[in-house]
Amino acid sequence: MRKKLHPMKRRPTVDAAHSAATTNQAHKKAPKIVLPIIAGMLVFSVPFQSPVLLMPSAHAATVVSYQLLKQSEMPVTSGVRQIDYKWVASDSSPTEMIHVLKIDLTDPYVELNAMGGKGGSVTAGQSVTGMTKETKAVAGVNGDVFGTANEGAPIGAQIKDGELQVSTSQLNGMYAFAITNDRKPMIDNFTFSGTVTAESGNTFALAGINKSLYWAEPGKTNSHVNALYMYTNEWTAPQRPAGTGTTPTEALVVDGVVTEVVPGQEITTPVPPNGYILRGHGTAAKFITDNLYPGVHVSSEYNLKSQTTGQTFDPSFFKMMVSGHTILVDQGKAAAFSRDIAGVSGASSRARTAVGYSQDGNTAYLVTVEENGGRNGVPLKELQDIMVRIGAWKAVNMDGGGSTTMVARPLGEFNVALAHPTSAGTYQRPVANGIGVYTTAPQGELKGIVASGPKTVFMGQETRFSLKAYDSYYNPIDPKGLNPVWNINPEVGYFKDGLLIANKPGKTTVKVTAGSTSSSIGVEVLGEAAIDRLTVQPSSMVLRAGAVINVPVKARLKDGSETAVAPTAIKWEFKGFKGKVSNGQLTIESVENNAAVGYAIARYDGFGTAVVLTPGSEKSFETFENVTYPLEFKGLPAELAGSASVVSGLPGRESSNALSLKYDFTNGTGSRFAYAVMNAAGGGVPVEGSPSALTLDVMGDSSLNYLRAEFVGADGKAVMVDVSRIIDWSGWKTIRVDLAAAGVKGPAKLTKLYVVNLAEGQDERALQGEVAFDNLTLQYPPSPVTTTNPTIVMKLGSAKATVNGKSVTLPAPVFSINGNSYLPLKFVAEAMGADVGWEASTKRVTVLRGSKMIDLWIGKSELAADGVRQKINAEPVIRNSRTYVPLRIVSEQLGQKVTWDEKTRTITIR
């Protein structure tokens, strides 16, 4: 779990990584062995260090205290409860969200077990939701760290129903969580040992079961050199395994009898459920050829050994086991980390997953820490503190970052759902394995009903609530036949056929009654006070009659969460043009004469942000229907595989062509780049004139990689342009790229469209995928939105001023309140060339100037600048029926500087 590439976090630039990769390319040779990159860590990138306790870097300078505050608790099934907490710091750090599945191991109907890849494969990872649905679990979390540059098998041991599916790796300090057959939890550091015995009586050490290549510690030696491994039918990857640089000799064993031996290559016969492959190299290969041939018997035995007690266990002693990373808690206290935590960004705030159990062994805790939007997650030191406070006597860190996922079945529901957003929102990264929670309870009698629906809703949005029912074991039952009656108190909205139509902000209770039973759910209808930021991502910014522009609106709430705002919850205002918005699409009906700029203002409960539109034209640049220039794929490093070609029949583009870019970063090292090179012989595809923006349709693959374009400007210099800093969507999406802001100077040429996978945080992103491009369109505004900054000179207490040297008389003298100078709102509009609006019912002042929009409220010590809420030390006031605004705050928000001369009591605005 390396630090995730996120547009809101500091990160190295792609240009720097590109330069470094290009410089180093001449010194690289095609590697014979692939270095596995591990989700959760770069296991082999740094030497093992002595255990240390690292303080979170963000809090190193000050002592910070924390509170763990319970927010909600709800049963999932008999013996399992889902509990949500807030982790509140005494400094200005964001409030984090902690999610816990508390499992009563004494409940006879509750079981924990390992969940794996699709169809039980140890190499075909899948999402936690996919695992729970496939195995019929009622809840689950992600598990072990795993390789992303190889087959994706777990790094540590995996036991399911007493069967050892994957053995441990010879790595220092890797702990695992297990449940014994007598339902006792255990967290320990295990090693694997085994022996294969031929019919001749000769033996050879078994190095492991279903293992990818790794570098064994100490010494960082190749795990598969001179080693004998067992591979079962649960290993579904094409090779056993890839990238080891070793030539295998293999024997297929079925029901204890050798049926096939192939020296020097892999056996192609499918492995049956009652068989396995013995794969050997070097001395192990010689053991196979000397002792194993069709018809002879062979046996194997293996066990796990505790590194803390020395006790040896047959794997069947355990009901389940899933490995993790470092130990977190021992004897109810924070433990020294058993493994270097640098590779898991241990000192940084990240999403985390952990597992622990209570001192009496009767309770297990599956814990996740959320990272999304304004929530950053926590360092491992804080995770230790959290686990102790929750009640863990012993705890282990699991894979985190983009892998962190918790799903649980809401009370009364038949299907599991995400318990919280992942670091990519709703996207769930496919992982190697997980820990599933299961119930064996029989169907009970009706115990209660549940009002099911969201806990937060937007005004103007129609939100469906539904009736669910559950039995005496908290398992869902069909509510058919129950006739629900809905009501809401206080009345912040009304119900119609199970739909809540909210019309004013506030906290309320939604209650449903069916016969003699009832259920309530607390709901907050969000008002503007709950929003910290409102953003619109338009598909175009051209002010042109007839233009149709996608205008999706997203809100970040004060609790740090981010969410899309339903189009029905947004009210729009237009200046400079007439238009309408329907289903999230703005249609410009007409443009005012000589309008140099248009504003589409999106407001939610009065809180607003603006899309700034300017006149111009659009021109189709490339549709890929009739490409006459060459296209080619180029990878950096050179050993990367992929393709770039015009194709037809892509989903969503079945009847047209598009540019497909397929990439495979598996064989590369460091930062990796997959280029669709366009017209290399001609230096790129010519771009006419000086467009300000490019819009294009992009088919995403949810890989979380980085998407860029390269232009060569009129000066001959290459300019790298961000298309999307994170590919977190699947299917087609229209994206607007600001070429002017990126520094593209026309006439230019488009040379490359490409996918980037930087070395930092590489384990968070997919190494293989396909993106596609279509409908590239250039936008040509006549000029960018410009403003002139007048020089304004005035004196405190005087109504006389100069604007660019010209004398003017203010409607009233400049005055001061608590050291803040105030100007009449009318003068701001006239002197600074701003458009000023007044909303009497909310006492809101709106200032529009150039590309800036500012909202201020009478008597409120905050403003909204371009949709971002900010605290201010002075607020607008009304005197003698005139509105006055704080001079310095408004001037600086509009891009001007204010100076004060104490001697002459003169204020100058430049």
Side-chain angles (χ1 to χ4, degrees):
M1 179 201 62
R2 300 280 285 174
K3 189 173 181 182
K4 174 174 174 278
L5 296 181
H6 192 284
M8 296 192 65
K9 297 186 177 180
R10 189 166 60 186
R11 55 186 290 168
T13 65
V14 174
D15 297 341
H18 178 281
S19 177
T22 304
T23 301
N24 294 335
Q25 183 64 20
H27 303 289
K28 293 181 179 179
K29 297 181 179 179
K32 294 182 179 179
I33 300 172
V34 177
L35 175 67
I37 297 171
I38 306 305
M41 57 182 174
L42 276 174
V43 174
F44 317 114
S45 61
V46 293
F48 176 73
Q49 301 173 4
S50 299
V52 291
L53 288 176
L54 298 182
M55 287 296 294
S57 58
H59 310 317
T62 58
V63 176
V64 181
S65 60
Y66 299 91
Q67 289 182 291
L68 186 67
L69 306 176
K70 182 187 289 188
Q71 299 301 295
S72 62
E73 182 171 352
M74 186 68 69
V76 177
T77 186
S78 177
V80 182
R81 303 187 75 80
Q82 179 183 339
I83 310 172
D84 296 327
Y85 296 92
K86 282 186 177 180
W87 181 244
V88 183
S90 60
D91 65 359
S92 59
S93 300
T95 295
E96 306 300 339
M97 293 300 297
I98 316 300
H99 308 275
V100 180
L101 291 171
K102 185 177 181 181
I103 298 105
D104 180 3
L105 296 176
T106 67
D107 189 300
Y109 299 116
V110 172
E111 292 183 357
L112 294 180
N113 215 333
M115 303 185 296
K118 297 175 183 177
S121 169
V122 299
T123 55
Q126 65 174 325
S127 68
V128 176
T129 291
M131 292 178 183
T132 54
K133 287 183 176 180
E134 184 175 284
T135 63
K136 295 181 172 53
V138 297
V141 298
N142 65 291
D144 200 356
V145 291
F146 59 95
T148 59
N150 50 37
E151 296 81 12
I155 292 299
Q158 176 178 312
I159 296 176
K160 181 178 182 181
D161 292 326
E163 177 196 349
L164 182 63
Q165 297 175 314
V166 183
S167 61
T168 62
S169 296
Q170 188 178 318
L171 298 170
N172 297 321
M174 303 287 283
Y175 276 70
F177 171 78
I179 299 289
T180 65
N181 286 320
D182 58 357
R183 302 175 66 84
K184 298 298 181 183
M186 182 183 298
I187 291 175
D188 209 338
N189 182 10
F190 297 96
T191 58
F192 171 87
S193 63
T195 303
V196 173
T197 303
E199 192 173 291
S200 62
N202 292 328
T203 63
F204 199 92
L206 183 63
I209 300 174
N210 289 333
K211 301 301 295 183
S212 293
L213 164 70
Y214 69 96
W215 302 102
E217 296 171 344
K220 306 297 182 184
T221 57
N222 186 319
S223 58
H224 282 64
V225 170
N226 293 319
L228 184 66
Y229 281 87
M230 177 185 293
Y231 290 89
T232 69
N233 69 324
E234 291 152 334
W235 182 277
T236 60
Q239 290 181 267
R240 288 185 293 269
T244 65
T246 61
T247 301
T249 291
E250 294 191 341
L252 175 61
V253 181
V254 179
D255 289 331
V257 178
V258 177
T259 61
E260 187 177 355
V261 177
V262 177
Q265 63 185 54
E266 292 186 351
I267 289 174
T268 58
T269 303
V271 181
N274 58 337
Y276 56 86
I277 292 283
L278 288 175
R279 182 219 193 261
H281 166 262
T283 55
K286 188 175 187 304
F287 169 78
I288 293 175
T289 55
D290 288 352
N291 295 275
L292 305 182
Y293 46 89
V296 304
H297 288 78
V298 62
S299 63
S300 62
E301 59 180 4
Y302 42 83
N303 56 56
L304 299 174
K305 183 177 181 180
S306 165
Q307 293 300 287
T308 56
T309 67
Q311 185 176 358
T312 298
F313 300 92
D314 187 289
S316 62
F317 176 78
F318 299 100
K319 169 69 174 179
M320 61 80 62
M321 180 182 293
V322 172
S323 289
H325 188 248
T326 179
I327 191 170
L328 295 172
V329 176
D330 194 12
Q331 306 294 301
K333 299 178 181 178
F337 295 131
S338 57
R339 187 167 182 82
D340 173 40
I341 64 171
V344 293
S345 301
S348 300
S349 294
R350 287 307 318 269
R352 305 287 178 185
T353 305
V355 184
Y357 60 83
S358 60
Q359 183 175 3
D360 60 11
N362 291 335
T363 306
Y365 307 95
L366 308 183
V367 180
T368 56
V369 182
E370 185 178 335
E371 174 193 356
N372 183 264
R375 295 170 182 157
N376 299 325
V378 299
L380 283 185
K381 188 69 175 67
E382 289 181 30
L383 183 60
Q384 290 179 304
D385 193 0
I386 290 166
M387 295 303 293
V388 169
R389 297 198 198 191
I390 285 171
W393 180 250
K394 204 165 187 178
V396 58
N397 180 49
M398 313 302 284
D399 193 12
S403 297
T404 289
T405 310
M406 176 185 286
V407 301
R409 189 182 65 187
L411 186 62
E413 300 278 359
F414 285 88
N415 297 315
V416 298
L418 274 173
H420 58 85
T422 65
S423 61
T426 58
Y427 171 77
Q428 297 181 47
R429 176 186 183 180
V431 294
N433 60 17
I435 300 173
V437 183
Y438 301 84
T439 180
T440 60
Q443 182 169 324
E445 298 296 323
L446 173 68
K447 182 178 180 65
I449 61 174
V450 178
S452 178
K455 294 182 180 179
T456 57
V457 299
F458 288 100
M459 290 189 297
Q461 179 179 347
E462 296 183 350
T463 307
R464 179 163 297 281
F465 285 75
S466 57
L467 172 66
K468 308 293 180 181
Y470 59 93
D471 68 10
S472 52
Y473 299 105
Y474 299 104
N475 291 324
I477 56 177
D478 190 347
K480 186 178 180 180
L482 300 175
N483 297 312
V485 177
W486 297 90
N487 63 66
I488 182 170
N489 187 33
E491 293 184 353
V492 296
Y494 60 93
F495 269 97
K496 182 180 179 180
D497 299 327
L499 280 176
L500 171 63
I501 294 89
N503 51 27
K504 56 184 177 181
K507 293 184 178 180
T508 187
T509 299
V510 170
K511 184 177 181 180
V512 60
T513 303
S516 61
T517 60
S518 65
S519 173
S520 299
I521 179 173
V523 175
E524 181 179 4
V525 181
L526 299 173
E528 61 85 16
I531 296 176
D532 254 0
R533 185 176 69 183
L534 200 67
T535 57
V536 185
Q537 296 179 322
S539 60
S540 172
M541 298 181 73
V542 173
L543 182 62
R544 175 176 55 83
V548 179
I549 303 170
N550 295 325
V551 283
V553 181
K554 183 179 288 187
R556 174 177 288 185
L557 306 182
K558 285 189 173 180
D559 65 4
S561 62
E562 285 188 346
T563 183
V565 184
T568 54
I570 296 293
K571 292 184 178 180
W572 290 89
E573 304 167 12
F574 309 116
K575 288 186 177 294
F577 68 95
K578 292 183 179 180
K580 62 180 180 181
V581 175
S582 177
N583 296 321
Q585 282 193 328
L586 165 65
T587 300
I588 299 177
E589 297 173 331
S590 63
V591 179
E592 294 179 6
N593 291 335
N594 301 318
V597 63
Y599 298 93
I601 301 172
R603 292 198 183 276
Y604 176 75
D605 191 26
F607 190 87
T609 189
V611 178
V612 182
L613 307 171
T614 55
S617 60
E618 291 185 335
K619 181 178 180 180
S620 177
F621 177 57
E622 181 59 85
T623 62
F624 301 105
E625 296 302 324
N626 185 28
V627 175
T628 58
Y629 52 83
L631 289 165
E632 60 181 309
F633 174 84
K634 181 180 178 182
L636 187 67
E639 61 266 27
L640 298 181
S643 65
S645 61
V646 173
V647 300
S648 60
L650 289 174
R653 292 292 190 276
E654 289 83 359
S655 60
S656 62
N657 292 344
L659 171 58
S660 165
L661 175 58
K662 295 181 180 179
Y663 57 90
D664 185 347
F665 293 145
T666 304
N667 291 326
T669 59
S671 295
R672 307 168 198 187
F673 305 80
Y675 299 100
V677 182
M678 307 174 72
N679 194 22
V685 183
V687 175
E688 294 182 10
S690 297
S692 63
L694 167 73
T695 60
L696 68 166
D697 296 343
V698 180
M699 185 186 77
D701 58 3
S702 295
S703 62
L704 306 185
N705 284 312
Y706 194 173
L707 196 62
R708 305 203 96 197
E710 181 188 88
F711 289 82
V712 173
D715 55 5
K717 295 181 180 179
V719 181
M720 314 305 178
V721 178
D722 290 345
V723 176
S724 177
R725 285 188 173 264
I726 182 170
I727 307 174
D728 58 357
W729 73 94
S730 295
W732 290 93
K733 175 181 178 181
T734 301
I735 298 176
R736 181 183 181 275
V737 180
D738 192 332
L739 299 181
V744 177
K745 298 178 181 179
K749 291 184 177 181
L750 174 60
T751 58
K752 299 180 182 76
L753 294 167
Y754 61 104
V755 174
V756 185
N757 192 321
L758 290 181
E760 183 185 4
Q762 205 159 67
D763 60 291
E764 298 298 311
R765 302 180 295 278
L767 294 177
Q768 297 174 313
E770 178 185 13
V771 297
F773 310 90
D774 198 7
N775 296 333
L776 279 64
T777 302
L778 296 170
Q779 299 175 3
Y780 295 87
S783 61
V785 179
T786 59
T787 57
T788 57
N789 291 338
T791 299
I792 306 170
V793 181
M794 63 198 76
K795 286 190 177 183
L796 196 63
S798 173
K800 299 295 183 179
T802 63
V803 178
N804 290 330
K806 183 179 179 180
S807 296
V808 296
T809 300
L810 305 179
V814 180
F815 62 88
S816 176
I817 302 176
N818 298 324
N820 294 293
S821 301
Y822 280 78
L823 284 175
L825 180 61
K826 182 180 179 182
F827 178 73
V828 173
E830 293 176 349
M832 295 187 180
D835 183 302
V836 177
W838 168 253
E839 218 286 327
S841 62
T842 60
K843 297 182 178 180
R844 183 187 68 231
V845 177
T846 299
V847 182
L848 295 168
R849 181 172 180 258
S851 60
K852 297 286 186 179
M853 172 178 162
I854 307 169
D855 277 340
L856 304 99
W857 292 267
I858 301 295
K860 291 181 68 173
S861 56
E862 62 182 25
L863 60 77
D866 299 325
V868 180
R869 192 185 298 272
Q870 301 178 23
K871 291 291 185 182
I872 55 177
N873 60 5
E875 62 272 357
V877 297
I878 295 178
R879 282 192 175 185
N880 300 322
S881 300
R882 287 195 179 97
T883 301
Y884 293 83
V885 292
L887 179 153
R888 180 177 295 275
I889 290 171
V890 172
S891 298
E892 292 182 349
Q893 286 291 339
L894 294 177
Q896 298 204 231
K897 295 182 179 180
V898 179
T899 58
W900 163 253
D901 188 322
E902 177 67 33
K903 183 180 294 186
T904 62
R905 299 174 65 79
T906 299
I907 302 163
T908 303
I909 305 173
R910 289 186 174 87

